[in-house]
Amino acid sequence: SVNPDIASERQTPSFSVEELTTLLDGGVEQTRIRRAVAEAIESDPVFSRENQYFQSQNERYEAAVRKGVHLQKKIREMGWTEDGPEQKYINRALAGDVAFLLQHVFMRSISVLGSDKQIAKWIPLARQYRLIGSYAQTELGHGTYLQGLETTAVFDTATQEFILNTPKISAMKWWPGDMGRSATHTVAFAQLYIHGKCYGIHPFIVQLRSLQDHSLCPGITAGDIGPKMSFEHADNGYLLLQNVRVPRENMLNKFCEVQPDGTYERRGSQKINYFTMTAVRISVISVEVVEPLMKACTIAIRYSVVRRQSKLKPGEQEAKILDYQTQQEKLLPQLAAAFAFHFIDNYLQELFNKGYREMQKKNFDMLPELHAFSSGFKALVTQHCTSGVEICLRACGGHGYSLLSGLPSLYTKILASCIYEGENTILLLQTARFLIKCFMEASTGQSVPPSVTYLAAVKPGKCPAKNKLDFLRPDIYIEAYRHTAARLVSSTATKLQDLIQSGIKKHDAWNWCTVQLAQAAKAHCHYLTVKNFAETVERLETRAGIQKIMKHLCDLFALHGIFSNAGIFLHDGYISGAQMDMVTASYLDLLPVIRKDAVPLVDAFDFTDKSLNSALGSYDGQVYQRLYEWAQKSPTNKMSPAYERYLKPLLHNTLSKL
Amino acid sequence: SVNPDIASERQTPSFSVEELTTLLDGGVEQTRIRRAVAEAIESDPVFSRENQYFQSQNERYEAAVRKGVHLQKKIREMGWTEDGPEQKYINRALAGDVAFLLQHVFMRSISVLGSDKQIAKWIPLARQYRLIGSYAQTELGHGTYLQGLETTAVFDTATQEFILNTPKISAMKWWPGDMGRSATHTVAFAQLYIHGKCYGIHPFIVQLRSLQDHSLCPGITAGDIGPKMSFEHADNGYLLLQNVRVPRENMLNKFCEVQPDGTYERRGSQKINYFTMTAVRISVISVEVVEPLMKACTIAIRYSVVRRQSKLKPGEQEAKILDYQTQQEKLLPQLAAAFAFHFIDNYLQELFNKGYREMQKKNFDMLPELHAFSSGFKALVTQHCTSGVEICLRACGGHGYSLLSGLPSLYTKILASCIYEGENTILLLQTARFLIKCFMEASTGQSVPPSVTYLAAVKPGKCPAKNKLDFLRPDIYIEAYRHTAARLVSSTATKLQDLIQSGIKKHDAWNWCTVQLAQAAKAHCHYLTVKNFAETVERLETRAGIQKIMKHLCDLFALHGIFSNAGIFLHDGYISGAQMDMVTASYLDLLPVIRKDAVPLVDAFDFTDKSLNSALGSYDGQVYQRLYEWAQKSPTNKMSPAYERYLKPLLHNTLSKL
């Protein structure tokens, strides 16, 4: 039965939940396919996550391998194809809790970096799982800074082999997924040496384990790196190479080749490869970053209409915690952010598809802008969504802290997204470098990419808003974001130039501006996110109900951003103190409006109970009953040897000398 | 051997590390005792935390019980007494990773709430561990709002017993520590009913398990609530009561008694009880909140001088990551905060000791102020330290995410401190209520407690700073904090009054101001923390080296607070945009200055390697070697059945139909 406290929340939504779901999915057909995939996977007991919160790292790994193998069978049974529309929904339904995710990365790196001959040899083997692939780039001593990798590959003309080595402990490969226990092969990145000369980082296919009995190959030391905050299912591994020989053909050689005599030849442009790395950053946003925030919002908001605590009015029933302004102010901005980032993700996907088409036509003009987009948005979205999930967790009090709420595992997992695919601070500084360059070019009248033309028009000014309602006008708040982003870029560029002109070396000057550069890059991406949200709302004009609630969410996202970063808007007086009070008033006024639709809004994300796997977040709102039922299944409720061994002697006072 | 990259950091500290350590401890003798306790505990293999990161919840529980029992023996052997100076260092050395922590809470609640007769009966039993106590207050449906608890205790005049019941599922006791598997007794809070009339919440001693065989007593259903984000060692429990009868003498009756005929009598003032609850909030700050932040700083800063990544200057060796401004800006403000909160904790301890002495003299005048202090600072310090630990974790990149870094467990544990002993938002609003009341009184000329007299003098004004060096003057920044806190209290009070005068009901008006009220309470506590830090630095005049570096840290703490909350300082023009640029300049200038002493500063916290339990944070800086050694011990490196069961059939293509 449905808890009446949550049922009442669904009585009068201001919009059609189903219509919003299909909008989020991108169409009725997409919704149908997504649900069909979820149904196929969730109804299959092999994929069950029922006891996941009770499992050890070993149990999680074994379950992931079992699921990984079973998934191949399932895909075949269901007739899902590799390029079919089902693929992304399979990932969504499994929530990443499956082995062999690196198989795709292994295959993609061969497709992008390998010659046709190499593709023809390796891709079919990988596709048929005649081998299990991994991707060994990160080392103990090096992550985002690839040039610093220390693994070596020395070409031996005598045997026509590369000899791979881990020259020191910091050069060990460390973190690669599926490598600790499963993989038979990997693409390993190493500094190429020919006749004593270093040619930089190159990719090599290296066999790790026997295809017969899975024993480690000669010269290979490999294992699991142990417990992590999450990703218990994944065997992130270490790899130590001692004179491991691979044939000349195992260097991926689409862009360069080592001839039998050791001559090194470069060919073609690496730009498409560079583009692929950039695109990967964007591809993770939807499933790995935005969906976890949507799930966290669903759990926290549903719980907050069921949880009653204290009284709003004396003499009345205890209030639902979502009726408190402070709870609304924690959760509803996160909900608005989930929509904002869903829409910016759609925008980025389209932009990258367009970029890909251009690059296939050998037009690489968009590349610097796309790189800046991918770096900056990866950082902004992962940072924002991670902190959003944490806010949802904390907003559920003690019960949010139980693993059974589902929130801790969402948090510990999304946190990793701030680090992998490029550490966020470094990425923001890459975006900043692009912004500074464009700003300098724009100020000398040169043409710059479309997303940064606004930098050319930095000028002092005042926000024209006269009352709090003016701050519900997208033109007003978009302009405030634009002005502020441009001001931050411009003032940091000025500081940088001043430092250099005062005689400080360029790299030192850069370092001394990086805190502000990162801030400017964030402001730029935040501005584009607000702008894109407002433009998306505008395009919804044929769907009045949806448009209205999306407009509220867009306003909330924009005003929350101004409210919580007030300093950068007030700094040059663009927004005055009095106007900031209007922003605050409009911002707080929106909370009770959106609160009315909060449950229908998260219902529209359309997560099944199984995919949420949360005692707090289920559709029926039977929170306490479920917490109790789930807790009883915990292995901590089996008889413990602690009583006989320690408690009994203590209580019976038979411990020696006590 | 010590890594030369960390050894070089210790060559020229600007102060005496040992002197700072003794200052933090409160004297040479304290340092000696602390080290002796740590040595006694860490040298005992029973207390080893060596394989902790590999253990399951059951293993952690069993280890905690083993340690809890062994600790009693150790205390006796060492001759440590219950009120001796060693007690707090025992907790520190064990890092809370031990069972029976609730025994103290059980005993304290009897001492505070029980009659002399009850104390004489129960305390010796608890002290000798003839029973294991717990404290059952929180329920599935109610936490901080105690009046809402639903457990009932009905007095039965016929049998002279109380009949305890869990009338509905939300009334189950949920979360009490040591209750899931260990406790034999608990102090349970329930609504007292006599002849059908409810007298509110009262405490009852309830036996849960047999002292003979540990089986559950009649009418008791109890167990473990399952996995949590941390506290794996603790058997947080649930408890369902069905017609559980306890004798009349089991109601703790210092403040009230039920006569045999059911007459209810109140006696004495409950204020001292109220004070105790308040004081508990403060007592957790040092060991459970500030020390974890100090540990996280130690780990992250030591790692950041060993980790080298990318180049600051072309052609040079890769730079230590602590030489990057962005890394300094992440870590050094957390280090400064650790000192700020250590000093405010000292201040609060003294204040509460003074308050305790007054209350024993029946002078309860300080109580409202102390309550506001304990609520506000508990919220501010837990919130700040939790986010500080998270920043340290993220600042260590991928390796910070490994449990072996020690950072994830510090984070997941400190996070709970934002929830237990009162949810932070609710606590901030309690402080805000005090501030608003005092503000109103002060503005009508009434006298108010010393910490809030400044609220009487709210007036517009401008910060007098003329250049960036002025912002290194404590009088300048303290005044900025004071002005801002007073302005936030005053403007929120005005909003509240305006709403009420416009006809909105008081409780609604209050709810609509809570976001700003919480902000005002935070600003008040932040101001007092800065002020106390500056005053502490002033008192260090006889220790020049220490005073100088503490002054830098105090400045950094203050300016970081202004930089990151710029909006509230700029809002009314007290600080202008140009002055904010000076704040930023001085703030960023401090980073490289403090960076030079960063390692000596964390060395002064004097954590042993064993107490840090971190592959990244050890004194010798041998990070990579230790990560590798520890990872090899992980149970994930034992042979897994996954190969024979799943991988082999997959690779050999013998899976049916694949």
Side-chain angles (χ1 to χ4, degrees), chain A residues 140 142 175 181 224 307 318 325 330 390 398-399 401 403 411-412 425 511 515 571 581 636-638, chain B residues 140 142 175 181 224 227 307 318 325 330 390 398-399 401 411-412 425 511 515 571 581 636-638:
Chain A
L140 251 178
H142 285 91
W175 281 110
R181 316 174 79 170
D224 186 276
R307 178 77 169 181
E318 288 184 61
Q325 188 189 48
K330 288 174 192 176
E390 195 197 17
H399 296 327
Y401 192 78
L403 290 200
Y411 174 73
T412 52
T425 304
N511 187 25
V515 167
H571 187 280
D581 288 338
T636 52
N637 281 315
K638 298 215 175 84
Chain B
L140 251 180
H142 285 92
W175 278 111
R181 317 175 78 171
D224 186 276
R307 178 76 169 181
E318 289 183 61
Q325 187 190 50
K330 288 174 191 173
E390 194 197 19
H399 296 328
Y401 192 78
Y411 174 73
T412 53
T425 304
N511 187 24
V515 166
H571 187 280
D581 288 338
T636 52
N637 282 314
K638 300 216 174 82

Side-chain angles (χ1 to χ4, degrees), chain A residues 326-515:
Chain A
T326 46
Q327 187 76 352
Q328 293 170 8
E329 208 260 335
K330 288 174 192 176
L331 297 181
L332 302 182
Q334 311 320 318
L335 180 61
F339 282 95
F341 295 132
H342 174 81
F343 293 131
I344 198 74
D345 179 54
N346 284 352
Y347 170 80
L348 292 169
Q349 301 291 355
E350 271 175 44
L351 194 74
F352 273 75
N353 288 341
K354 187 178 151 204
Y356 184 66
R357 289 191 299 272
E358 288 300 314
M359 277 174 240
Q360 285 183 315
K361 290 186 252 163
K362 308 280 179 212
N363 172 8
F364 296 104
D365 294 350
M366 282 175 75
L367 197 51
E369 191 187 20
L370 289 178
H371 177 66
F373 268 113
S374 79
S375 305
F377 279 104
K378 186 273 182 184
L380 182 80
V381 179
T382 56
Q383 166 71 46
H384 226 106
C385 291
T386 300
S387 102
V389 171
E390 195 197 17
I391 289 167
C392 291
L393 187 157
R394 291 198 199 186
C396 294
H399 296 327
Y401 192 78
S402 163
L403 290 200
L404 306 180
S405 74
L407 292 166
S409 54
L410 286 172
Y411 174 73
T412 52
K413 194 163 185 189
I414 197 175
L415 177 59
S417 73
C418 296
I419 302 162
Y420 63 61
E421 298 298 341
E423 196 277 329
N424 278 355
T425 304
I426 297 171
L427 293 183
L428 285 173
L429 293 176
Q430 292 182 0
T431 303
R433 203 174 278 282
F434 169 79
L435 292 174
I436 295 290
K437 186 167 163 285
C438 292
F439 172 77
M440 305 301 259
E441 288 171 0
S443 50
T444 58
Q446 296 172 61
S447 83
V448 293
S451 63
V452 286
T453 46
Y454 78 96
L455 294 176
V458 187
K459 51 176 188 284
K462 301 273 176 201
C463 172
K466 294 200 168 43
N467 55 57
K468 69 176 181 178
L469 294 179
D470 282 345
F471 279 105
L472 301 178
R473 283 170 43 192
D475 58 321
I476 294 280
Y477 56 67
I478 289 172
E479 187 54 34
Y481 274 93
R482 176 166 27 222
H483 173 86
T484 301
R487 182 184 62 76
L488 287 170
V489 172
S490 135
S491 68
T492 313
T494 306
K495 178 178 171 186
L496 193 59
Q497 280 180 303
D498 289 352
L499 285 172
I500 293 167
Q501 274 164 20
S502 76
I504 287 161
K505 289 199 180 122
K506 230 173 166 176
H507 49 261
D508 283 328
W510 179 263
N511 187 25
W512 297 353
C513 290
T514 45
V515 167

Side-chain angles (χ1 to χ4, degrees), chain B residues 336-530:
Chain B
F339 282 95
F341 295 133
H342 174 81
F343 293 131
I344 197 75
D345 179 52
N346 284 352
Y347 171 80
L348 292 169
Q349 302 291 354
E350 271 175 47
L351 195 73
F352 272 75
N353 289 340
K354 188 179 150 202
Y356 184 66
R357 288 191 299 271
E358 289 298 317
M359 277 175 240
Q360 285 184 313
K361 291 185 254 167
K362 308 281 180 210
N363 172 8
F364 297 105
D365 293 351
M366 283 175 75
L367 197 52
E369 191 186 20
L370 289 179
H371 177 65
F373 267 113
S374 80
S375 305
F377 279 105
K378 187 274 182 181
L380 182 80
V381 179
T382 56
Q383 166 71 46
H384 227 105
C385 291
T386 300
S387 102
V389 171
E390 194 197 19
I391 289 167
C392 290
L393 188 157
R394 291 198 198 185
C396 293
H399 296 328
Y401 192 78
S402 163
L403 291 201
L404 307 180
S405 75
L407 292 165
S409 54
L410 286 173
Y411 174 73
T412 53
K413 194 164 185 190
I414 196 173
L415 177 60
S417 72
C418 297
I419 302 162
Y420 63 62
E421 298 297 343
E423 197 276 329
N424 279 354
T425 304
I426 296 171
L427 293 183
L428 285 174
L429 293 177
Q430 292 182 0
T431 303
R433 203 174 279 280
F434 169 79
L435 292 174
I436 295 291
K437 185 166 163 285
C438 293
F439 173 76
M440 305 303 258
E441 289 171 358
S443 51
T444 57
Q446 297 172 60
S447 83
V448 294
S451 63
V452 285
T453 46
Y454 77 97
L455 293 176
V458 186
K459 51 176 187 285
K462 301 273 176 202
C463 172
K466 294 200 166 46
N467 56 57
K468 69 176 180 178
L469 294 179
D470 282 343
F471 280 105
L472 301 178
R473 284 172 44 193
D475 59 319
I476 294 280
Y477 56 66
I478 289 173
E479 187 53 37
Y481 274 93
R482 176 168 25 223
H483 173 88
T484 302
R487 182 183 64 75
L488 287 170
V489 172
S490 136
S491 69
T492 314
T494 307
K495 178 178 169 185
L496 194 58
Q497 280 181 302
D498 288 352
L499 286 172
I500 292 168
Q501 274 163 20
S502 78
I504 287 161
K505 289 201 180 120
K506 230 172 166 179
H507 49 260
D508 283 329
W510 179 263
N511 187 24
W512 296 353
C513 291
T514 45
V515 166
Q516 288 152 299
L517 286 163
Q519 197 180 34
K522 254 188 262 180
H524 167 73
C525 295
H526 204 160
Y527 152 57
L528 294 178
T529 308
V530 169

Side-chain angles (χ1 to χ4, degrees), chain A residues 186-451:
Chain A
T186 195
V187 172
F189 287 78
Q191 303 283 359
L192 170 64
Y193 285 86
I194 309 172
H195 301 319
K197 186 182 162 193
C198 181
Y199 289 83
I201 288 295
H202 287 72
F204 302 85
I205 297 180
V206 179
Q207 183 168 353
L208 305 175
R209 293 179 174 91
S210 156
L211 288 169
Q212 285 315 303
D213 63 6
H214 219 239
S215 60
L216 291 169
C217 294
I220 302 283
T221 305
D224 186 276
I225 64 165
K228 302 142 291 183
M229 250 184 128
S230 179
F231 293 87
E232 297 90 345
H233 66 281
D235 56 320
N236 297 91
Y238 62 78
L239 169 64
L240 197 146
L241 302 152
Q242 287 164 300
N243 293 318
V244 173
R245 291 176 168 266
V246 303
R248 193 171 62 92
E249 307 82 64
N250 277 26
M251 184 176 96
L252 294 176
N253 60 9
K254 183 174 193 171
F255 299 110
C256 53
E257 189 157 16
V258 178
Q259 297 298 331
D261 65 351
T263 312
Y264 180 85
E265 280 176 10
R266 218 174 258 291
R267 58 186 173 216
S269 161
Q270 282 232 42
K271 282 183 175 168
I272 189 83
N273 169 29
Y274 188 65
F275 172 74
T276 306
M277 291 199 299
T278 289
V280 167
R281 285 199 186 116
I282 293 302
S283 71
V284 305
I285 287 179
S286 168
V287 173
E288 297 179 25
V289 187
V290 179
E291 279 186 14
L293 178 59
M294 289 174 168
K295 284 184 183 174
C297 287
T298 305
I299 295 167
I301 286 174
R302 286 182 181 165
Y303 175 64
S304 296
V305 300
V306 166
R307 178 77 169 181
R308 288 177 177 273
Q309 201 75 179
S310 198
K311 297 182 182 184
L312 260 176
K313 301 185 194 185
E316 282 200 351
Q317 191 188 7
E318 288 184 61
K320 295 177 173 185
I321 57 175
L322 196 58
D323 287 328
Y324 292 94
Q325 188 189 48
T326 46
Q327 187 76 352
Q328 293 170 8
E329 208 260 335
K330 288 174 192 176
L331 297 181
L332 302 182
Q334 311 320 318
L335 180 61
F339 282 95
F341 295 132
H342 174 81
F343 293 131
I344 198 74
D345 179 54
N346 284 352
Y347 170 80
L348 292 169
Q349 301 291 355
E350 271 175 44
L351 194 74
F352 273 75
N353 288 341
K354 187 178 151 204
Y356 184 66
R357 289 191 299 272
E358 288 300 314
M359 277 174 240
Q360 285 183 315
K361 290 186 252 163
K362 308 280 179 212
N363 172 8
F364 296 104
D365 294 350
M366 282 175 75
L367 197 51
E369 191 187 20
L370 289 178
H371 177 66
F373 268 113
S374 79
S375 305
F377 279 104
K378 186 273 182 184
L380 182 80
V381 179
T382 56
Q383 166 71 46
H384 226 106
C385 291
T386 300
S387 102
V389 171
E390 195 197 17
I391 289 167
C392 291
L393 187 157
R394 291 198 199 186
C396 294
H399 296 327
Y401 192 78
S402 163
L403 290 200
L404 306 180
S405 74
L407 292 166
S409 54
L410 286 172
Y411 174 73
T412 52
K413 194 163 185 189
I414 197 175
L415 177 59
S417 73
C418 296
I419 302 162
Y420 63 61
E421 298 298 341
E423 196 277 329
N424 278 355
T425 304
I426 297 171
L427 293 183
L428 285 173
L429 293 176
Q430 292 182 0
T431 303
R433 203 174 278 282
F434 169 79
L435 292 174
I436 295 290
K437 186 167 163 285
C438 292
F439 172 77
M440 305 301 259
E441 288 171 0
S443 50
T444 58
Q446 296 172 61
S447 83
V448 293
S451 63

Side-chain angles (χ1 to χ4, degrees), chain A residues 540-559:
Chain A
L540 292 173
E541 55 194 342
T542 59
R543 308 158 180 257
I546 304 266
Q547 190 182 40
K548 194 172 165 203
I549 186 70
M550 287 298 119
K551 168 72 165 60
H552 289 321
L553 287 165
C554 178
D555 294 347
L556 186 74
F557 180 75
L559 298 185

Side-chain angles (χ1 to χ4, degrees), chain B residues 63-298:
Chain B
V65 171
R66 188 175 66 239
K67 290 182 195 179
V69 171
H70 188 68
L71 181 61
Q72 302 315 313
K73 201 176 148 192
K74 193 85 190 172
I75 287 173
R76 196 165 293 204
E77 273 175 20
M78 300 297 297
W80 296 332
T81 59
E82 208 170 322
D83 302 321
E86 295 87 1
Q87 283 302 326
K88 63 175 173 174
Y89 301 127
I90 297 174
N91 292 341
R92 175 171 158 141
L94 293 167
D97 199 36
V98 63
F100 316 139
L101 292 175
L102 272 290
Q103 193 82 339
H104 297 279
V105 181
F106 178 80
M107 287 162 72
R108 187 181 59 219
S109 56
I110 292 171
S111 305
V112 173
L113 302 171
S115 65
D116 291 344
K117 199 173 152 191
Q118 290 172 323
I119 292 172
K121 174 177 177 185
W122 294 101
I123 298 293
L125 289 174
R127 191 171 285 143
Q128 295 159 40
Y129 281 89
R130 307 301 296 262
L131 60 78
I132 297 168
S134 175
Y135 181 84
Q137 179 178 297
T138 303
E139 296 176 355
L140 251 180
H142 285 92
T144 306
Y145 181 66
L146 296 186
Q147 292 105 296
L149 295 177
E150 297 173 297
T151 301
T152 57
V154 176
F155 185 59
D156 180 356
T157 44
T159 61
Q160 294 290 301
E161 290 170 321
F162 297 102
I163 308 166
L164 277 85
N165 268 294
T166 302
K168 51 201 281 209
I169 187 155
S170 58
M172 281 181 93
K173 296 294 175 187
W174 198 270
W175 278 111
D178 292 348
M179 195 178 74
R181 317 175 78 171
S182 297
T184 61
H185 288 70
T186 195
V187 173
F189 287 79
Q191 303 283 359
L192 169 64
Y193 284 85
I194 309 173
H195 301 317
K197 184 181 163 194
C198 182
Y199 288 83
I201 287 296
H202 287 72
F204 302 85
I205 297 181
V206 180
Q207 183 169 353
L208 304 175
R209 293 180 174 91
S210 156
L211 289 169
Q212 285 315 305
D213 64 6
H214 219 239
S215 61
L216 290 169
C217 294
I220 302 283
T221 305
D224 186 276
I225 65 165
K228 302 143 294 185
M229 249 184 130
S230 180
F231 292 86
E232 297 91 344
H233 66 280
D235 54 320
N236 297 93
Y238 61 79
L239 169 64
L240 197 145
L241 300 153
Q242 286 163 302
N243 293 317
V244 173
R245 291 177 168 264
V246 303
R248 194 173 62 92
E249 306 83 64
N250 276 26
M251 185 174 96
L252 294 177
N253 59 10
K254 183 174 194 168
F255 299 110
C256 53
E257 188 158 14
V258 178
Q259 297 298 332
D261 66 349
T263 311
Y264 180 86
E265 280 175 13
R266 220 176 257 290
R267 59 186 171 216
S269 160
Q270 282 231 43
K271 282 184 175 168
I272 189 84
N273 169 29
Y274 188 64
F275 171 74
T276 306
M277 290 201 298
T278 290
V280 167
R281 284 197 187 119
I282 293 302
S283 70
V284 304
I285 288 180
S286 169
V287 173
E288 297 179 24
V289 188
V290 180
E291 279 187 12
L293 177 58
M294 289 175 169
K295 285 184 183 175
C297 287
T298 305

